[in-house]
Amino acid sequence: MRIKWTVLLWMLLVSGLAVAQNTATTSFQIKGVLLDSLTQEGEPYATIRIVKKQAPARPLKMLVTDMKGKFQEKMSGSGDFVMTITSVGRNSIVKDFSVKPGEKLVDFGTLYITDASKELGQVEIVAQKPLVKVDVDKIEYNIEDDPDSKTNSVIEMLRKVPLVTVDGEDNIQVNGSSSFKIHVNGKPNNMMSNNPKEVLKSMPANTIKYIEVITSPGAKYDAEGVGGILNIVTVGSGFEGYTATFSARASNMGLGGGAYATIKQGKLTLTGNYNYSYNNQPASYSEGYREDYESVDQKYLESTNTSDYSGQFQHGNLEASYEIDTLRLITMSIGMYGGGNDNDAEGNTEMWNAAHDKTAYSYRTLTQGDGSWYSIRGNIDYQRVSKKNKNRMFTLSYKINTQPQESDNYNRYLDRYQVPEVFQLYNSHTFGKTNTTEHTFQADYTTPIGKLHTIETGLKYIIRNNVSENSFEEDKSSDGNGDYVYNENRSSNYEHLNDILAAYLGYTLRYKDFTFKPGLRFEHTAQDVRYIVGAGEDFKVDYNDLVPSVSLGIKLGKTQTLRGGYDMRIYRPGIWYLNPYFDDRNPMAIRQGNSELESEKSHAFNLSYSSFTSKFNVNVSLRHSFNNSGIESVSRLIGKDGEYFGPDKTHFAPEGALYTTYENIGKSRNTNLSLYLNWNASPKTRIYINGRGSYSDLRSPSQNLHNSGWQGSMYGGIQHTFPWKLRASLNAGGSTPYISLQGKGSGYSYYSLSVNRSFLKDRLTVSVYGSNLFSKYINFDSTTFGDNFYSTNKSRYPNRSFGMSISYRIGELKASVKKAVRSINNDDVKGGGEGAQGAGGN
């Protein structure tokens, strides 16, 4: 028996030594240098992919050459391998090689790469994928490759996007301007543009592929968008290599889930996705203080407010493409974005005399409200490519889009003490309904001229109907328990109709490393304003706009680009700015739109430098813009005797009320410097910074208002992949106080941590995250001033969040919905205004 055990132990020992020896001999090193075949210079950042010959679909090693074209990497294993080297604009190099057990080195020596007859259609990016790509007129941030997208909302990811800033109250600016447009999959989404803060913070980032910041929209785009265009491309648009993905998430703020699927059958491809989120936030608090410089009996107004918010957000999309033949393509899609919310609030208002020892009047308010906002659209595109030249194409497009929004609010006034009768402080029920419906027809033609020149031209016709209806009912009974009676004088029904005809001509010159893109666009607008109910006189007006633009770019070597340009942009006021509804539910804070607003025009000059290598990504942008007809929110305090509004003097604002509307009075100058820096410290570590500094000068000569000052913001973080594919991300940021025409707001600070890991060959991903864990609330202060008043507002919003998400994908179908290269982009309406928080001008 002892002999048997001895023999067995010797066998195990010999086997272990053999295994150890075999393991020791499986490690080897590859090296070489890649040179340009003509200049004999090193080829930097070429992509190298190594696979087993019997398993070509699964790469064993991915690396890039250094600045001198050298490469060196350790590998393990033995047998037959295939090495493929690719670089933009170059012919691929494919090398077969074998490694025997015990072999230590594979030296490829000097390899030579040659120019391709035509530029490669696709580049494979490996190791630390660059999050940012730059073109002559846009910057792209790859959301999908950022691990934070597994847990964050879209608005949190926007803090990382170059040229975009998001303050502590989630207000968004692009190129230093809050006037910008949002596109989804290349098509404008006015619902998002009108209310970006609420929509994007409800939208999970794991549904987004990348975000483009179109800094200098050319002539093919509508002339709208002072700051530029944010184009949000979703995973369901052109995503390759999949059948279905399912995801779910939960946090202290709510929960949600989604699904995505692709099906391909012959020439027909279908893609669909749907996502749902429910948000339930802790209570928010605010308190206000206002001083009337001229009054004695009603000198100081003090108020407090508490509100609870819950809401749901959903979006879905279905796309289809059918290839009639190799030259003709039809694409169709339908989509929906939107949601609803419930908001309960309780407030207290008290007016004091100059000595602050006597109450002039006081009352409490209780508000219960709900609302909904949606954007529903459909489009069809037909594309015809020339048989002789695939870059020559003709496109016909049609799009329909409707954006219904509703709000339903009940307001009760309690504990009324010496409230003046002119306040009309009766319990009320308001129902607001707005809708914008668009029909758009477009034709585009693009053709190359020789090898250097490209001409693009097109026609566009938009039929846009804006409708707003606000119904006001009040209970005038002594105890406030009577029936609600419709009040026509405090209601409104309003239509604003637009017919817009546009034509554009663009030219592109690409000569070696130089790009030149001038363009000219003409737009004719016919407006028809009708008042069905409420004060106002019907009117019609026509006007024309000629919009020039030019962009230049030059490559400084293989990794650096210098870009510059000029563009003129216009903004037509949206329905929130135009709606004349006199909203006096809070008699001390009255809001009203201005139906006589004109388009604003902005001029901007920009210069930027970009350097993108495998280690460092840098983008520095300098922009100066000015606007002499800006649409600004203007507030003023009503004097002692009150004031009547409307052609028939049907609306009354009492003494001490703050009346706010919009006017074409703004003259703004803004100089903005933006910096984006990304350092791939190692294949597993990324460090990044996104910052902006600007100086703004805002003035209104007619209102004798002027404000100016510096603003700055910074956002940065570090991402690292630990052993066992554990990816962690730490982010932090903040901003200085911001300024407006009539005041300023406070700055903020922010931090977050997220960790995620993938399982089952990266099919299953689990993520956890937390932000601002040591502070339940964040505080904001804002001030507003005028000739006869000064006011402050202090708010506390929920700040702490934590949660987790999980996603799982199945299938290996490699299909994508093909898209027409040209399609409809309606980006000509000013959005993101203060009034865009609910129907009825709330």
Side-chain angles (χ1 to χ4, degrees):
M1 180 65 66
R2 294 179 59 187
I3 295 175
K4 291 182 178 180
W5 278 108
T6 302
V7 172
L8 180 60
L9 288 173
W10 274 105
M11 291 176 64
L12 290 174
L13 180 61
V14 171
S15 299
L17 290 172
V19 171
Q21 182 179 12
N22 185 57
T23 302
T25 59
T26 57
S27 179
F28 66 95
Q29 188 178 67
I30 64 168
K31 72 173 186 177
V33 61
L34 182 65
L35 302 181
D36 183 282
S37 62
L38 297 178
T39 65
Q40 304 296 304
E41 295 178 351
E43 180 75 10
Y45 313 121
T47 299
I48 300 177
R49 182 175 187 267
I50 300 176
V51 300
K52 275 279 194 178
K53 194 168 186 178
Q54 62 269 31
R58 180 176 299 175
L60 299 176
K61 186 69 65 174
M62 307 283 284
L63 62 148
V64 294
T65 60
D66 64 14
M67 284 292 293
K68 296 181 180 180
K70 295 181 180 180
F71 61 92
Q72 186 172 319
E73 189 74 16
K74 289 183 178 180
M75 292 190 61
S76 60
S78 60
D80 297 328
F81 298 85
V82 179
M83 179 178 70
T84 304
I85 304 177
T86 58
S87 185
V88 177
R90 304 289 193 147
N91 289 312
S92 299
I93 297 176
V94 179
K95 290 286 185 179
D96 293 346
F97 65 97
S98 299
V99 178
K100 299 178 180 179
E103 192 171 352
K104 297 291 186 180
L105 176 66
V106 178
D107 189 350
F108 291 96
T110 301
L111 302 173
Y112 296 96
I113 195 166
T114 60
D115 286 335
S117 58
K118 60 180 179 179
E119 193 170 298
L120 294 176
Q122 182 175 348
V123 181
E124 187 171 14
I125 303 172
V126 297
Q128 281 279 6
K129 294 183 180 180
L131 289 177
V132 177
K133 299 178 183 178
V134 174
D135 202 347
V136 68
D137 56 357
K138 64 184 178 183
I139 291 178
E140 176 188 311
Y141 188 89
N142 195 329
I143 298 291
E144 191 177 39
D145 288 333
D146 190 325
D148 287 343
S149 66
K150 304 292 187 280
T151 55
N152 283 349
S153 67
V154 174
I155 203 166
E156 289 169 326
M157 298 301 297
L158 277 177
R159 301 181 193 274
K160 300 184 177 186
V161 178
L163 306 180
V164 179
T165 56
V166 183
D167 68 16
E169 295 182 281
D170 295 331
N171 298 306
I172 306 168
Q173 288 189 331
V174 178
N175 273 327
S177 173
S178 58
S179 298
F180 60 91
K181 299 302 297 180
I182 295 180
H183 290 188
V184 178
N185 299 328
K187 298 176 174 63
N189 190 296
N190 289 332
M191 184 271 291
M192 284 192 176
S193 297
N194 290 338
N195 201 10
K197 178 166 68 173
E198 297 302 326
V199 176
L200 296 183
K201 74 181 181 181
S202 302
M203 191 174 184
N206 61 6
T207 64
I208 305 301
K209 192 173 182 68
Y210 60 86
I211 294 178
E212 290 179 333
V213 184
I214 304 176
T215 55
S216 300
K220 68 179 180 181
Y221 292 96
D222 289 340
E224 193 74 17
V226 172
I229 296 172
L230 286 182
N231 182 32
I232 299 173
V233 179
T234 63
V235 171
S237 173
F239 179 63
E240 294 187 3
Y242 187 46
T243 300
T245 299
F246 303 93
S247 63
R249 57 196 173 275
S251 74
N252 64 317
M253 296 288 192
L255 49 85
Y260 162 78
T262 294
I263 301 173
K264 183 175 176 61
Q265 182 65 42
K267 295 182 178 181
L268 178 66
T269 304
L270 295 175
T271 292
N273 68 78
Y274 176 78
N275 204 281
Y276 176 86
S277 297
Y278 173 76
N279 302 301
N280 188 10
Q281 298 181 1
S284 300
Y285 306 92
S286 66
E287 58 183 70
Y289 165 84
R290 190 163 74 218
E291 179 181 353
D292 186 341
Y293 296 152
E294 300 175 351
S295 180
V296 176
D297 297 331
Q298 299 183 20
K299 184 73 171 179
Y300 304 109
L301 181 72
E302 297 176 354
S303 63
T304 59
N305 189 75
T306 303
S307 63
D308 291 305
Y309 172 89
S310 63
Q312 52 89 16
F313 174 80
Q314 55 185 323
H315 67 92
N317 197 53
L318 179 64
E319 298 179 333
S321 67
Y322 183 77
E323 296 179 82
I324 301 174
D325 51 39
T326 58
L327 303 178
R328 294 176 295 171
L329 174 69
I330 292 179
T331 62
M332 296 162 285
S333 69
I334 56 175
M336 175 273 294
Y337 285 82
N341 61 76
D342 295 311
N343 191 17
D344 297 335
E346 180 176 355
N348 185 71
T349 301
E350 194 165 11
M351 178 68 80
W352 295 86
N353 64 353
H356 209 282
D357 60 2
K358 183 179 180 181
T359 301
Y361 60 83
S362 65
Y363 58 89
R364 288 196 306 119
T365 58
L366 292 177
T367 301
Q368 291 181 311
D370 60 72
S372 64
W373 34 271
Y374 286 92
S375 176
I376 306 167
R377 57 96 183 158
N379 65 277
I380 182 169
D381 305 298
Y382 170 78
Q383 177 180 287
R384 177 69 162 83
V385 177
S386 171
K387 187 175 182 180
K388 295 182 179 180
N389 191 325
K390 295 299 177 65
N391 293 318
R392 180 179 296 124
M393 67 183 65
F394 176 71
T395 307
L396 285 174
S397 304
Y398 168 74
K399 175 185 175 183
I400 182 172
N401 184 45
T402 183
Q403 298 162 37
Q405 303 186 39
E406 292 185 356
S407 67
D408 193 3
N409 294 283
Y410 285 88
N411 300 276
R412 298 181 62 198
Y413 302 95
L414 309 174
D415 301 335
R416 288 172 282 195
Y417 172 72
Q418 296 186 171
V419 177
E421 181 64 26
V422 295
F423 278 25
Q424 302 186 60
L425 213 61
Y426 310 118
N427 292 348
S428 63
H429 170 221
T430 57
F431 179 77
K433 183 168 61 175
T434 67
N435 190 20
T436 297
T437 302
E438 291 181 337
H439 298 272
T440 307
F441 306 86
Q442 182 170 319
D444 298 278
Y445 179 70
T446 301
T447 182
I449 302 176
K451 296 182 178 180
L452 305 179
H453 314 278
T454 301
I455 296 292
E456 55 184 5
T457 185
L459 293 172
K460 185 175 189 177
Y461 179 53
I462 305 173
I463 303 172
R464 176 180 296 136
N465 297 333
N466 297 306
V467 179
S468 176
E469 182 177 356
N470 298 92
S471 175
F472 189 95
E473 299 174 344
E474 56 191 350
D475 174 12
K476 292 187 177 182
S477 63
S478 59
D479 58 1
N481 293 317
D483 296 328
Y484 287 103
V485 179
Y486 176 71
N487 187 331
E488 183 174 335
N489 289 333
R490 301 183 70 180
S491 303
S492 74
N493 193 339
Y494 159 84
E495 291 184 358
H496 181 227
L497 313 178
N498 279 313
D499 285 347
I500 303 170
L501 180 63
Y504 72 89
L505 178 64
Y507 165 76
T508 301
L509 168 66
R510 295 185 186 273
Y511 178 71
K512 294 185 177 180
D513 294 331
F514 176 73
T515 302
F516 176 55
K517 295 181 67 174
L520 187 64
R521 186 179 186 88
F522 171 78
E523 295 188 354
H524 171 78
T525 304
Q527 290 192 5
D528 184 1
V529 177
R530 304 171 185 175
Y531 297 91
I532 301 171
V533 175
E537 296 181 359
D538 298 354
F539 68 90
K540 296 182 179 181
V541 63
D542 294 0
Y543 52 89
N544 301 311
D545 292 297
L546 197 61
V547 184
S549 63
V550 61
S551 298
L552 303 96
I554 184 170
K555 290 185 178 180
L556 308 175
K558 296 181 180 298
T559 62
Q560 302 175 76
T561 304
L562 186 65
R563 298 173 294 134
Y566 158 81
D567 58 82
M568 170 186 166
R569 309 296 291 165
I570 65 173
Y571 257 136
R572 299 182 184 89
I575 192 169
W576 298 113
Y577 295 84
L578 297 164
N579 188 356
Y581 177 62
F582 191 82
D583 186 358
D584 60 348
R585 287 171 296 172
N586 181 349
M588 290 292 96
I590 300 172
R591 303 191 68 90
Q592 185 178 30
N594 182 358
S595 59
E596 297 182 3
L597 287 175
E598 298 178 354
S599 297
E600 66 176 61
K601 298 178 176 63
S602 175
H603 304 265
F605 299 88
N606 60 82
L607 179 67
S608 64
Y609 166 80
S610 303
S611 177
F612 291 87
T613 69
S614 63
K615 285 287 186 181
F616 289 98
N617 296 345
V618 179
N619 185 83
V620 182
S621 299
L622 178 65
R623 178 183 175 93
H624 177 75
S625 62
F626 61 92
N627 189 338
N628 294 325
S629 59
I631 299 174
E632 294 288 346
S633 172
V634 179
S635 300
R636 60 187 178 89
L637 200 65
I638 302 300
K640 183 176 181 180
D641 298 327
E643 186 175 344
Y644 286 92
F645 291 84
D648 301 326
K649 307 297 182 183
T650 53
H651 303 307
F652 180 76
E655 175 187 359
L658 190 65
Y659 174 80
T660 302
T661 187
Y662 301 96
E663 296 186 17
N664 286 102
I665 59 173
K667 290 182 178 291
S668 65
R669 302 290 184 272
N670 181 276
T671 302
N672 179 62
L673 179 65
S674 299
L675 168 68
Y676 175 81
L677 174 64
N678 182 91
W679 175 34
N680 293 329
S682 74
K684 297 182 179 181
T685 305
R686 172 186 286 130
I687 301 172
Y688 47 88
I689 294 175
N690 186 24
R692 180 179 72 89
S694 67
Y695 180 80
S696 300
D697 186 278
L698 310 171
R699 64 183 66 222
S700 172
S702 63
Q703 299 289 328
N704 195 29
L705 297 172
H706 179 220
N707 199 10
S708 62
W710 294 91
Q711 299 170 251
S713 65
M714 185 69 70
Y715 186 86
I718 180 171
Q719 296 174 348
H720 182 75
T721 301
F722 293 93
W724 305 293
K725 295 184 179 180
L726 196 66
R727 297 180 294 272
S729 178
L730 176 64
N731 302 296
S735 77
T736 63
Y738 66 88
I739 67 169
S740 61
L741 178 62
Q742 287 186 266
K744 66 177 182 178
S746 61
Y748 78 100
S749 60
Y750 169 94
Y751 65 89
S752 67
L753 173 67
S754 67
V755 179
N756 67 76
R757 191 186 189 283
S758 297
F759 304 88
L760 304 179
K761 298 181 179 180
D762 294 335
R763 291 179 178 272
L764 176 68
T765 300
V766 179
S767 306
V768 295
Y769 76 96
S771 65
N772 307 305
L773 296 175
F774 301 105
S775 55
K776 184 176 181 180
Y777 287 93
I778 187 171
N779 298 318
F780 288 98
D781 299 338
S782 63
T783 62
T784 304
F785 58 83
D787 289 337
N788 60 344
F789 77 95
Y790 169 83
S791 72
T792 64
N793 187 77
K794 297 181 179 180
S795 302
R796 288 196 302 152
Y797 300 109
N799 192 42
R800 178 190 300 150
S801 64
F802 51 87
M804 69 174 296
S805 68
I806 184 170
S807 66
Y808 184 72
R809 63 180 178 89
I810 58 176
E812 294 294 341
L813 174 65
K814 293 185 178 294
S816 63
V817 174
K818 293 192 175 183
K819 297 293 188 66
V821 175
R822 299 292 176 138
S823 189
I824 290 175
N825 297 306
N826 292 347
D827 41 30
D828 63 309
V829 180
K830 184 179 179 73
E834 295 180 32
Q837 297 177 5
N842 297 345

